[in-house]
Amino acid sequence: MKDQYKEFLKLAFSCAENAGKIIKKGFYREKRIELKSFANPVTETDKAAEKRIVEMILKRFPGHSILTEEALSKEGSEIKWIIDPLDGTVNFTHQIPFVAVSIGIEIEGKIVAGVIYNPILEETYFASSGNGAFLNKRQIFVSKTTEPAKSLLVTGFPYEREGRIEFLIAPIREINKNYTGFRRLGSAAMDMAFVARGSFEGFYEENLKPWDTAAGKILIEEAGGRISDYYGGNYSVYKKTILASNGLIHENMFSFLKGIPEPK
Ligand code: IPD
Ligand code: CA
Ligand code: CA
């Protein structure tokens, strides 16, 4: 592994561990919840975890760029840390243990390393370019299932739902006809980690943000999966639609996603 990736992953682990302690501490307590927009909560834990991560990165690499969900983004070098300090805030506010810290590292526009840490389940997922994907210390791979009837999918629904309800429901109809079923677990980062470890055959969602998918992207690629947008184009974390799968059911998933118009 490149020494640079090792160094970045090491720092990402300790940032995730520190943020994870903050999340764990808040998990069973009463929360003060603000709404950023319709159905879109933020708590003091999201903000405290973000502050801790950004402080730790900038202490070590003051010139790097930061792209983060809540407040602390900063322009800098071609090396960008893309951070969701708490993915699954709705789960967090309801004490559902499907939450994660997600940290992806982008160099000159390419995601090269990432860590997803669930402090409640004590699961650390990580990957770096060319070095495989891991859960805790075990290497993980996408599922080998080829048949939709044996495939379980996962998705999520964006906070911005106005004018989109029909497009969110249409794929569910097709999944119910052709697949084992689907889950909606409330953390895009964990959804992607579960595709990488082979628990789900596929994941799709619209209107995610770079911090939701940056770490998941490298994890799924390194676990042997495939990622695109809904229409077969290359995926970038700045795109509006994502389809991530074990590769084997990818074409089949296009059949119910290609017709969905891109959100604005
Ligand atoms: C959300 C989660 C959820 C997805 C939403 C995201 P947040 O992130 O990843 O699964 O469906 O679209 O915004 O707000 O909990 O960090
Ligand atoms: Ca998120
Ligand atoms: Ca978040």
Side-chain angles (χ1 to χ4, degrees), residues 93-212:
T93 61
H94 291 260
Q95 289 188 11
I96 296 167
F98 220 64
V99 295
V101 183
S102 173
I103 302 176
I105 297 137
E106 184 192 89
I107 303 184
E108 292 170 354
K110 189 174 178 302
I111 309 293
V112 297
V115 171
I116 293 173
Y117 174 52
N118 180 323
I120 313 298
L121 302 179
E122 288 182 6
E123 291 182 343
T124 306
Y125 298 84
F126 64 96
S128 62
S129 243
N131 299 304
F134 295 82
L135 160 54
N136 295 337
K137 283 183 180 134
R138 187 171 53 83
Q139 190 165 8
I140 51 173
F141 300 94
V142 294
S143 128
K144 293 190 170 63
T145 305
T146 54
E147 290 168 56
K150 292 183 183 159
S151 297
L152 188 61
L153 306 184
V154 66
T155 188
F157 304 113
Y159 298 119
E160 309 86 359
R161 292 170 214 159
E162 216 187 307
R164 300 296 296 175
I165 300 294
E166 186 45 44
F167 305 129
L168 298 173
I169 290 170
I172 304 297
R173 268 193 216 108
E174 294 310 305
I175 293 168
N176 275 297
K177 282 187 214 153
N178 301 312
Y179 286 80
T180 300
F182 83 99
R183 300 288 182 266
R184 194 290 195 239
L185 297 177
S187 158
M190 289 302 293
D191 294 342
M192 293 179 80
F194 270 54
V195 172
R197 69 187 256 179
S199 299
F200 293 122
E201 277 67 34
F203 164 70
Y204 70 92
E205 189 162 342
E206 63 174 53
N207 242 325
L208 287 172
K209 304 295 182 286
W211 43 83
D212 297 312

